[in-house]
Amino acid sequence: MDKKATIGHITALITIVIWGTTFISTKILLTDFTPIEILFFRFLIGLLVLMAIYPKRLGIKDKKQELTFAGAGLCGICLYYLLENIALTYTMASNVGVIISVAPFFTAVLSHVFLKAEEKLKAGFFVGFIVSMTGICLISFS
């Protein structure tokens, strides 16, 4: 592998480890904070890190694009983490992790349904899904 691919794989692995620990850390935080407080502090930390990495603000090109980004952020990020935090108040972190791990499957299926011309589901998709679910079940039940 070349250097760029190796760096990309290492970065992806670090991201996966950090993402995987959020279920456990959020479950621990729920003893002292509400789901909304955790969401607020997570976003505040994210904002501060992004401002440190890229302090220059992006300009608004048009209102429609800005509303699209705001809607995507609300639905795709804010609601996701809020519902994840609420779910962790009712069940174990491993259960939430398993449920979340099925999300890419549903994303692909819904893309296939709504974007028929663009998304084709092939045998490799289903084989990959079965292999990943088998791994998740083995880890969860061991």
Side-chain angles (χ1 to χ4, degrees):
M1 270 194 296
D2 66 353
K3 188 176 179 178
K4 278 189 171 185
T6 303
I7 291 171
H9 284 95
I10 291 170
T11 305
L13 182 63
I14 291 168
T15 302
I16 290 167
V17 169
I18 291 170
W19 178 76
T21 60
T22 62
F23 297 108
I24 298 163
S25 59
T26 301
K27 187 72 174 175
I28 293 168
L29 287 171
L30 283 167
T31 59
D32 295 319
F33 298 100
T34 67
I36 293 176
E37 290 172 332
I38 295 170
L39 179 74
F40 173 77
F41 288 120
R42 176 181 275 168
F43 279 27
L44 182 63
I45 291 167
L47 175 66
L48 294 174
V49 168
L50 286 174
M51 287 173 62
I53 292 171
Y54 193 82
K56 190 172 144 184
R57 291 190 63 167
L58 296 175
I60 298 173
K61 294 185 179 168
D62 69 33
K63 287 281 190 195
K64 185 177 179 185
Q65 183 184 34
E66 191 65 21
L67 288 173
T68 302
F69 286 148
L74 176 66
C75 295
I77 304 297
C78 188
L79 288 177
Y80 166 83
Y81 282 112
L82 179 61
L83 294 174
E84 178 185 301
N85 294 350
I86 292 169
L88 285 165
T89 64
Y90 293 105
T91 188
M92 296 182 301
S94 59
N95 291 342
V96 175
V98 169
I99 292 168
I100 294 299
S101 66
V102 181
F105 173 77
F106 288 112
T107 301
V109 170
L110 290 172
S111 293
H112 175 71
V113 170
F114 292 108
L115 305 171
K116 290 184 182 198
E118 298 176 31
E119 296 293 326
K120 302 291 181 201
L121 298 179
K122 298 177 180 159
F125 167 77
F126 293 104
V127 170
F129 177 74
I130 290 168
V131 169
S132 67
M133 285 298 109
T134 302
I136 289 166
C137 290
L138 290 174
I139 289 171
S140 296
F141 298 118
S142 60

